[in-house]
Amino acid sequence: LERSVGRFAQGGTAEIAGGWGPEGLSPEAATAVASILADHGVAPGRVALVLPDQAVFMRDLILPFGQPAKVAKVLPLELESLLPCSSQDLVTDFQVSGRVFGPERAYRVLAGAVNRERLSASVQALKSSGLEPDVADTARNAWQALLGAIRGPVPEVYILLDLGPDGPVAYLVRKGQ
């Protein structure tokens, strides 16, 4: 993967026991990631957390506006009737993917929601292990989210922690190699 301010290359992978459960990311998995990195001389640092697809509610919505501030304001209300729990129990995000062509002005919005407690527990488990998650996204958007979230100089080391269906996999991304 390339980025205008530097180059990314996959530096290594490690399979990790434990992972995403009813409470979120297990503390054991977070500790294992930090330990594996330390064993390879890598100081714990920034982490992009890839949430398992089965943990994220995804909905494709059509809204009469596409301004991000308006979408953010109405999104919890729009999702409330489509999801099996209260929108207050969820962390939501969205992407306006473009206009819908037709006689009426409308916009296609891809919305995602994840259980707030599970996400908070996962972030806390990582922080307790010295890992600082600054991006959480679905697998289909993780690399894009990772690259889009980095502003300024590309970090020397970045960890992408994928909590996929076959168990967690940590990707170590090193600048320029």
Side-chain angles (χ1 to χ4, degrees):
L1 296 171
E2 288 188 24
R3 190 160 188 270
S4 62
V5 294
R7 297 177 68 88
F8 283 104
Q10 182 175 322
T13 64
E15 290 190 32
I16 301 144
W20 186 268
E23 305 301 319
L25 176 66
S26 70
E28 297 80 16
T31 301
V33 171
S35 177
I36 289 167
L37 294 171
D39 290 348
H40 289 86
V42 177
R46 295 169 61 191
V47 176
L49 186 60
V50 181
L51 302 172
D53 286 339
Q54 69 269 23
V56 181
F57 299 106
M58 300 293 291
R59 297 293 183 264
D60 197 18
L61 305 172
I62 304 295
L63 298 176
F65 45 80
Q67 299 90 342
K70 284 186 178 181
V71 173
K73 189 173 182 177
V74 303
L75 187 61
L77 195 58
E78 288 289 327
L79 291 175
E80 190 80 37
S81 65
L82 302 173
L83 300 176
C85 57
S86 168
S87 62
Q88 293 187 348
D89 296 336
L90 302 170
V91 174
T92 60
D93 200 5
F94 65 91
Q95 288 180 323
V96 178
S97 54
R99 278 199 64 218
V100 175
F101 292 101
E104 295 185 29
R105 190 170 199 166
Y107 293 84
R108 184 173 302 280
V109 176
L110 178 62
V114 65
N115 180 278
R116 183 179 305 279
E117 286 184 26
R118 288 176 87 183
L119 183 59
S120 294
S122 301
V123 168
Q124 188 55 50
L126 289 167
K127 284 184 174 184
S128 295
S129 297
L131 301 167
E132 191 64 37
D134 56 5
V135 174
D137 212 328
T138 60
R140 68 185 88 182
N141 295 326
W143 285 103
Q144 179 182 349
L146 166 63
L147 296 174
I150 297 173
R151 303 287 183 246
V154 176
E156 187 65 36
V157 174
Y158 208 98
I159 299 116
L160 187 96
L161 182 56
D162 186 346
L163 302 174
D166 298 327
V169 177
Y171 296 89
L172 176 62
V173 182
R174 291 183 189 262
K175 179 181 166 188
Q177 303 200 27

